[in-house]
Amino acid sequence: LNACHHHPGLVYQGARLLEAENTIEVDVRPRRGSRPICSGCGKRGSGYDTLSVRRFEFIPVWGFAVILLYAMRRVACRGCGVKVEQVPWAIGKHTLCKAYMLFLAQWARRLSWRETAVAFRTSWEKVFHAVEWVVEWGLAHREWGPLRAIGVDEIQYGRGHAYLTLVYQIDAGFTRLLWVGKERTTASFQRFFDLIGKDLAARIAFVCSDMWKPYLKLIEQNCPNALNILDRFHVVATINKAIDEVRANEARRMHQDGYEPVLKKTRWCVLKRPGNLTGKQRGRLRELLKYNLKTVRAYLLKEDFQKFWEYVSPTWAGRFLDEWCTQVMRSQIEPMKKVAGTLRRHRELLLNYFRARKQFSSGVVEGLNNKCKVTMRKAYGFRTFRATEIALYHVLGKLPEPKL
């Protein structure tokens, strides 16, 4: 303890093993002549009296719990009055030592909080408080640095329609979670910009987002110098949703009219990329393409749109997009026509992907979203937003940790 957890002014007086309780108790006393530190102002003062012995949990050793026993002194502080002293190994009324909290927090990044509690013979609540302290310290001491590119998206958590608004830094070579907002609202997203300030927001050069209008409006207001790059994942998902609607409607109509159910079990044949199809699905798709159906035409339009992402020049990409939308409008397939209208309204934002030279895309954002879901799934969900927020910052925030 003197080698790894030394504190000037305090002495480890003795240690004893309690085999029945699998516990090692260590007595700690103040060094003679040392003056206690006021917990209010942090200044040294004269001693007033001594309270009863308190127990502080330290890092366990080989399955034995280690407890530090110390009688807290009260300080006669000139500025604060009589206050309980501040000890260097703990915070306030916490029963865990700082070293133990940091130790638990580091393991809680690898294991679930319940597994961490079981492994080190403590409770879930104490693991939570340990992680909470490390995260709060990290948030208070983190450096924003130059934010060049950010990504914003939402994920579902809890039951029902409960969503989190997540903002990531997606600079080349450095990604991290910047902010977690409760609910998917404009007020929630605006709090992120209020946090970083107008000066830092104005220096953001690229923003990846989906096509939700409130997001687009707030980004335009708060990041006037940024290129807003629409999320490629959500564009493809919008087209796939339209194709699925076309297939479902056409299959229902063919069943009602007594035709052969050629669209049965073809959903994933038309939604998956050709390279991801199984051998059976590839054969099923080959048979389906022989028919002159709206589903087939919608599928061919979707596959043709994949060429859009292969362009380099924004000008040529814009020409392809215009021609593709015109072709869709003439197809008389209503769900696909709605998609074409949406893409036309967001034409300039789609072309920002090429103006940014394809440096930023939704792939990074979706990857980070998946890590968030894994973090929540590992714990089988959290009961409160606060616990979810702490866990996500702890795993994805890349926050600084306190030095002991």
Side-chain angles (χ1 to χ4, degrees):
L1 286 172
N2 282 321
C4 66
H5 199 245
H6 176 70
H7 299 290
L10 296 164
V11 177
Y12 296 108
Q13 190 172 12
R16 55 188 168 275
L17 174 64
L18 306 178
E19 295 186 12
E21 301 175 9
N22 283 342
T23 301
I24 300 173
E25 291 185 348
V26 180
D27 295 317
V28 185
R29 66 168 178 81
R31 192 178 296 275
R32 292 178 183 176
S34 66
R35 302 175 68 196
I37 300 174
C38 174
S39 58
C41 61
K43 296 180 180 179
R44 292 190 179 275
S46 57
Y48 181 77
D49 61 7
T50 302
L51 302 176
S52 57
V53 174
R54 280 182 58 183
R55 299 168 65 87
F56 298 91
E57 296 181 43
F58 192 68
I59 301 172
V61 178
W62 293 107
F64 289 90
V66 178
I67 306 296
L68 304 184
L69 304 179
Y70 180 70
M72 303 286 284
R73 296 173 291 176
R74 290 204 295 174
V75 188
C77 180
R78 292 182 179 181
C80 305
V82 178
K83 292 284 185 180
V84 178
E85 72 172 313
Q86 172 184 315
V87 291
W89 62 78
I91 303 169
K93 295 183 179 181
H94 275 283
T95 59
L96 303 181
C97 295
K98 292 179 183 179
Y100 192 26
M101 287 195 286
L102 183 58
F103 177 82
L104 288 175
Q106 290 172 345
W107 274 103
R109 193 178 283 118
R110 299 174 176 87
L111 306 174
S112 71
W113 294 356
R114 173 61 62 190
E115 291 171 332
T116 303
V118 171
F120 298 105
R121 298 177 57 203
T122 186
S123 66
W124 184 94
E125 287 75 15
K126 289 183 179 180
V127 175
F128 167 72
H129 289 310
V131 176
E132 185 180 35
W133 173 69
V134 171
V135 168
E136 287 179 347
W137 193 95
L139 290 174
H141 293 83
R142 72 173 168 180
E143 296 181 0
W144 290 104
L147 292 178
R148 185 165 178 262
I150 64 171
V152 57
D153 206 351
E154 73 284 337
I155 62 171
Q156 185 179 8
Y157 86 104
R159 296 180 179 178
H161 297 282
Y163 293 92
L164 298 176
T165 299
L166 304 176
V167 182
Y168 306 102
Q169 182 176 359
I170 54 173
D171 288 338
F174 186 72
T175 58
R176 60 173 173 167
L177 176 65
L178 294 176
W179 188 76
V180 180
K182 189 177 183 180
E183 301 177 348
R184 187 199 189 200
T185 61
T186 53
S188 180
F189 189 26
Q190 181 60 45
R191 283 196 286 272
F192 166 71
F193 292 111
D194 295 338
L195 177 66
I196 65 175
K198 293 182 179 180
D199 184 54
L200 188 56
R203 293 202 296 268
I204 296 175
F206 304 98
V207 181
C208 287
S209 71
D210 59 21
M211 292 183 283
W212 196 46
K213 287 184 179 179
Y215 277 177
L216 301 179
K217 185 177 179 181
L218 283 178
I219 292 168
E220 184 179 0
Q221 290 175 354
N222 293 280
C223 305
N225 302 317
L227 279 178
N228 190 357
I229 304 168
L230 284 188
D231 194 329
R232 176 176 174 176
F233 171 84
H234 286 90
V235 173
V236 175
T238 301
I239 298 175
N240 281 342
K241 185 178 179 181
I243 292 176
D244 201 33
E245 183 180 349
V246 173
R247 183 200 59 81
N249 291 339
E250 194 167 33
R252 194 179 303 112
R253 186 173 60 255
M254 291 177 69
H255 176 72
Q256 292 172 353
D257 295 342
Y259 288 102
E260 182 184 354
V262 295
L263 290 173
K264 189 176 182 180
K265 296 183 179 180
T266 61
R267 183 187 184 196
W268 297 112
C269 296
V270 296
L271 293 183
K272 292 169 70 174
R273 294 296 305 276
N276 297 331
L277 294 173
T278 64
K280 186 176 180 180
Q281 289 172 338
R282 202 172 291 115
R284 190 79 181 86
L285 179 62
R286 194 180 304 116
E287 291 296 321
L288 181 64
L289 293 177
K290 296 177 182 179
Y291 294 89
N292 183 20
L293 299 173
K294 286 186 177 181
T295 302
V296 173
R297 284 185 283 144
Y299 170 77
L300 295 175
L301 287 170
K302 182 199 80 163
E303 289 304 311
D304 188 39
F305 185 78
Q306 297 303 322
K307 298 175 184 176
F308 174 72
W309 308 110
E310 298 174 4
Y311 282 90
V312 176
S313 167
T315 303
W316 287 104
R319 289 184 181 181
F320 175 86
L321 181 62
D322 295 337
E323 292 174 2
W324 186 86
C325 289
T326 301
Q327 187 180 2
V328 172
M329 287 299 185
R330 292 173 180 172
S331 68
Q332 299 182 351
I333 305 175
E334 289 303 321
M336 294 297 292
K337 288 170 69 175
K338 290 181 182 178
V339 172
T342 301
L343 298 184
R344 277 180 170 176
R345 288 193 300 272
H346 299 90
R347 182 181 186 276
E348 291 305 310
L349 299 182
L350 285 167
L351 297 182
N352 283 342
Y353 174 68
F354 304 96
R355 296 187 181 107
R357 298 183 180 182
K358 301 184 180 181
Q359 294 181 33
F360 305 99
S361 70
S362 60
V364 178
V365 176
E366 292 303 322
L368 291 168
N369 279 348
N370 188 54
K371 289 183 178 180
C372 290
K373 293 173 184 177
V374 169
T375 300
M376 293 187 289
R377 195 181 305 123
K378 185 170 65 174
Y380 295 96
F382 295 99
R383 294 183 180 179
T384 64
F385 166 74
R386 178 61 175 169
T388 305
E389 179 187 30
I390 292 297
L392 294 181
Y393 275 131
H394 184 52
V395 175
L396 298 171
K398 294 185 178 179
L399 300 173
E401 293 184 347
K403 304 293 183 182
L404 300 178

